[in-house]
Amino acid sequence: MIIHPLNTGNFKLDGGAMFGVVPKTLWQRTNPADANNMCDWSMRSMLIEDGDRLILIDTGIGDKQSEKFFSHYYLSDENSLEPNLKKLGFGLDDITDVFLTHLHFDHCGGAIKRTKDGQGFEPVFKNAIYWSTENHWKWATEPNPREKASFLKENIFPIEQSGQLKFIDRDGDFTQNVFNNFDVLFVDGHTESMMIPHIKYKGKTLVFMADLLPSVGHIPLPYVMGYDTRPLITLSEKEKFLNTAAQNDFVLFLEHDSINQCCTLQNTEKGVRLKDTFQFSELF
C-alpha cells in the first residue's frame, strides 16, 4: 500500500460558523480571520494505491458551480484535483473507488462534472465505484432545511443515475475491512452517518478526519462547528475518539487544516491536547 496526500484546492468559510459558540478571541489564535471574518481552509483528499485498487477519499468542491456560488467561498484552484493526480502519474480514469465521507458539497462536488454540452452531469471518474452509506444517502437526498444548502442535487443524484453507486453496510458504529487494512468509524453529530476511515499503514493507524476534527484548532471539546446538526452528539463522539486517538498514538490526517496535514494527540491535565503537527511526508 502507498498513500498520497492530494490537494483539491483551498477555500474560505466564516470563522464563527466553523467554531460555533467559541468566542473569536479564542479561535483566532489558531485560525486568524480576514477583515470579513473568513478563515482559510483546505480541501485535502487522500489517494491510496493498494494492489489493483486506486482509492480516492473525498474529492473537494469541483468546478461546475456558478461564479456567484464560488464567490461566496473564495475558491483557490492552485491545487486542483486533476493536475495533482497527474503529478503522481495517474489520470481520472485510473481511479477504481471514490470513498465519500459524506455528501456536503466541499467533500463530494469534485466527483461529478458537467457533460460536454453543458446540459447535464456525469461522473468525473467513469471507471470508479462511488461509496456512500444508505443512512447518509437518504439523509442527503431528503435534506432537512438546515443542511439543504450543503446537499446539492447536481453533486448527488448523478452518482446514483450513473449506476456506479454502492453502499457500505453500517452495523453499529464501526465497520471493519471495508477495503484491505481500511476500517470505518460512523459518527452522527456533524451529519447522519459520516464515515471516518481508519487505515493501517506502516505500523500506524492513520485516520482521515473529515469534519469530525477539521483542524488542530478544533481539538478542545467545546470547539464544535456551527454546521454540526447535533452538536451534543459531536461532543460525545469527539471525546471518545480523541481519548482513543491519544491512547493509541493515532496519526490524524486533517482534511481542512490549511497549514497542518497531520497531527498526533496527548493526554494532559486539561484533557486531550495537541502533541505534534507535521507534514505527511515527514512521517511516512
Side-chain angles (χ1 to χ4, degrees), residues 80-139:
S80 57
L81 180 56
E82 187 173 5
N84 282 317
L85 272 175
K86 287 183 178 178
K87 289 177 184 178
L88 296 172
F90 300 110
L92 300 176
D93 295 348
D94 295 323
I95 303 297
T96 62
D97 301 89
V98 177
F99 181 96
L100 299 170
T101 61
H102 60 300
L103 297 168
H104 288 166
F105 65 81
D106 55 315
H107 295 259
C108 74
I112 296 294
K113 64 181 179 180
R114 291 188 180 272
T115 54
K116 288 183 179 179
D117 62 10
Q119 302 303 305
F121 301 95
E122 62 185 5
V124 169
F125 309 99
K126 66 180 185 181
N127 296 321
I129 296 170
Y130 284 63
W131 295 97
S132 185
T133 190
E134 193 167 7
N135 289 2
H136 183 64
W137 188 266
K138 180 176 175 61
W139 184 271

Side-chain angles (χ1 to χ4, degrees), residues 6 26 41 44 56 61 66 78 131 154 171 197 206 224 262:
L6 196 63
L26 297 179
W41 307 98
R44 192 174 288 119
L56 178 65
I61 203 168
S66 67
E78 295 175 4
W131 295 97
E154 59 268 31
D171 183 12
L206 177 65
V224 171
C262 300

